[in-house]
Amino acid sequence: MKSILKKAMALMITLTMVFTLAACGNKDKKSDESSNGSKPVEITYATFMVGSHVSAAAEKEVLDEFNKKYEGKIKVKVEELPSDDAYVNKMKALAASGALPDVINGKNGLRELAVKNGQAVDLIPFLEADEEWNKYVGEGAINYSKTDDGKLYSIANQQQLVGYFYNKDMFEKTGITPAKTWDEFMSNNEKLKENGYTPLAMMTGENAWTTNLWLAAIIGTNGEEGNKYMNTNYPESYNNDLVVNALTMVQKCLKDYTTPDAIGAIYANSANNFLQENTAIIANGPWMVPDFTDTSKAKEGLADRVGVSLYPNDGIVTQYEIGYVLCTNDKSKEEQDAALEFLKFKTGKEAQKIFLEKSGALPLTANVELSDEYKKANPLVVDLIDLSTKAKYGFENMDNTAYSSVIEEFSLSYPELVYGGITPEEMATKLTEAADKHKEQ
């Protein structure tokens, strides 16, 4: 009798496991299928906005919202790359073999590589056919990325205004205010140093972001000639007085006015030095503002101690992101349509609102409004927008204007510039050679 009971119980357990597994299997199958039983179209996308990246939370929410909206119809297979550098290097390798994901961020010359290898799609016909999408992208962003022959290979999802943030307490105790001229800027740095503060949060690794913003600002506010240069896409030569003079100032800043870890540092190091009040100033955009109130990143109460300013000579970086590229020229119509839906969502109203609220990225047009609640919670962003209306010089940053090979050369040459291996003139020559190298590829 005991033996029969054991067998019966074993059978029941087995049947329970079978039914449970079958139920799980059906559940998984259901999530991957539409209501008519067809499988979702799978598209590929790669992102560097993960981990501690300032836009990681916004990126995740956009992807989650898209997957929710298109569940059973479109499935986005996401490849996460741990840094900007890792992303750019991986995409460059894939571009060389014509194997870029269906949608990419075209930063650092990746858009041009996608056009060159034939994967990039002209987006003008799709924008003209979709009035709602066109409205939220806006004429400014469209014209910004149009080619001379009227084609459009990328669409931004945010507008960039970039000045610099400063620690008001450190400025007040040093007896200085945001500099009106570059001479005053260097004098302020010296005074901060004499008062025991490290002036600047800088970095030379990755794309040398916080350092190259200063370089671009020095050039872009150097009269009409400098401003024209910093609004020129892909200059062929860096061998000129504008660049050499700016490199000479940046060399002085890297040697005397920044932290010891700046050489070779990545963005996270530089941001952390400002957020932990190890430095008085950082050049950066409004996407950093949420970090000032995040006590897991910043010192308690930092937000109340931060001010924002134009660069000396009343300059500001004002531009659109390079944005997203549709790389589906070699794909089926079904895949092209699915990837286009993802691109529309990524650059449309909902994604712009998410990036505004989660990472401080400014929308492309006034059609995505800043609510009164947002303005009250983000006074620094409102101040920056107000300052931008008073700027004399607007210009782009190096990431937008230089070839990817030139951006790489910055990170290689800055250490040599600081440690005396090369002069500013020699670094300018290296940058020019890097631009030549890109053209030969």
Side-chain angles (χ1 to χ4, degrees), residues 84-363:
D84 291 48
D85 253 6
Y87 171 82
V88 172
N89 291 335
K90 178 74 180 283
M91 294 305 111
K92 284 174 72 176
L94 293 176
S97 56
L100 285 167
D102 297 325
V103 177
I104 64 166
N105 184 313
K107 63 188 292 186
N108 294 153
L110 294 174
R111 175 184 59 187
E112 284 66 32
L113 293 177
V115 173
K116 191 174 179 182
N117 74 8
Q119 284 189 265
V121 176
D122 177 18
L123 299 165
I124 288 293
F126 302 113
L127 274 164
E128 289 176 346
D130 190 330
E131 191 177 332
E132 182 74 2
W133 184 33
N134 203 325
K135 171 184 167 186
Y136 287 105
V137 172
E139 192 177 343
I142 293 171
N143 290 336
Y144 179 80
S145 295
K146 252 186 187 175
T147 60
D148 291 340
D149 60 357
K151 293 185 177 179
L152 182 71
Y153 292 108
S154 69
I155 291 182
N157 75 333
Q158 61 180 276
Q159 184 181 177
Q160 293 184 339
L161 296 175
V162 185
Y164 71 85
F165 299 108
Y166 63 96
N167 189 302
K168 292 188 288 189
D169 275 9
M170 293 181 191
F171 268 46
E172 187 178 341
K173 289 173 183 171
T174 303
I176 59 174
T177 56
K180 295 296 183 188
T181 68
W182 287 105
D183 284 344
E184 187 184 357
F185 173 74
M186 297 303 270
S187 171
N188 278 355
N189 287 335
E190 191 61 33
K191 288 176 183 174
L192 283 163
K193 187 177 177 180
E194 288 170 359
N195 277 271
Y197 301 118
T198 301
L200 302 167
M202 300 178 83
M203 53 177 276
T204 66
E206 296 177 336
N207 58 354
W209 173 251
T210 60
T211 298
N212 273 353
L213 284 173
W214 292 112
L215 184 74
I218 297 166
I219 298 170
T221 60
N222 192 354
E224 288 185 14
E225 187 184 3
N227 191 251
K228 183 179 178 183
Y229 188 85
M230 275 316 304
N231 282 297
T232 301
N233 285 331
Y234 310 119
E236 295 185 359
S237 175
Y238 293 81
N239 291 102
N240 58 64
D241 289 344
L242 293 166
V243 175
V244 171
N245 290 339
L247 285 173
T248 302
M249 284 181 65
V250 169
Q251 180 187 41
K252 171 76 174 170
C253 291
L254 285 168
K255 280 184 174 179
D256 296 339
Y257 300 135
T258 190
T259 53
D261 65 355
I263 308 305
I266 61 175
Y267 170 79
N269 304 118
S270 181
N272 185 60
N273 279 327
F274 184 76
L275 295 171
Q276 292 301 314
E277 300 191 286
N278 297 327
T279 62
I281 302 169
I282 187 168
N284 210 355
W287 50 84
M288 193 180 191
V289 171
D291 287 351
F292 299 151
T293 52
D294 183 347
T295 52
S296 70
K297 295 180 179 178
K299 278 197 174 178
E300 186 82 32
L302 178 67
D304 296 331
R305 298 190 288 277
V306 175
V308 64
S309 174
L310 296 174
Y311 295 103
N313 291 351
D314 294 331
I316 191 168
V317 172
T318 173
Q319 62 185 30
Y320 295 94
E321 267 202 332
I322 294 294
Y324 296 92
V325 185
L326 190 64
C327 303
T328 54
N329 255 340
D330 55 346
K331 298 296 182 70
S332 68
K333 185 175 186 310
E334 193 180 38
E335 290 168 311
Q336 287 191 32
D337 290 346
L340 178 61
E341 283 304 312
F342 179 59
L343 180 75
K344 286 182 178 181
F345 189 88
K346 198 79 177 66
T347 57
K349 178 185 178 183
E350 194 168 352
Q352 288 183 45
K353 281 191 74 173
I354 291 171
F355 265 78
L356 169 66
E357 291 166 4
K358 291 278 183 183
S359 69
L362 299 177

Side-chain angles (χ1 to χ4, degrees), residues 1 19 33 41 99 141 152 199 208 213 237 270 312 374 391:
M1 185 64 180
F19 287 137
E33 288 185 357
V41 180
L152 182 71
L213 284 173
S237 175
S270 181
Y374 178 84

Side-chain angles (χ1 to χ4, degrees), residues 404-422:
S404 58
S405 54
V406 176
I407 298 298
E408 286 178 4
E409 188 57 47
F410 275 116
S411 64
L412 295 172
S413 289
Y414 271 135
E416 288 190 90
L417 182 70
V418 174
Y419 297 127
I422 55 175

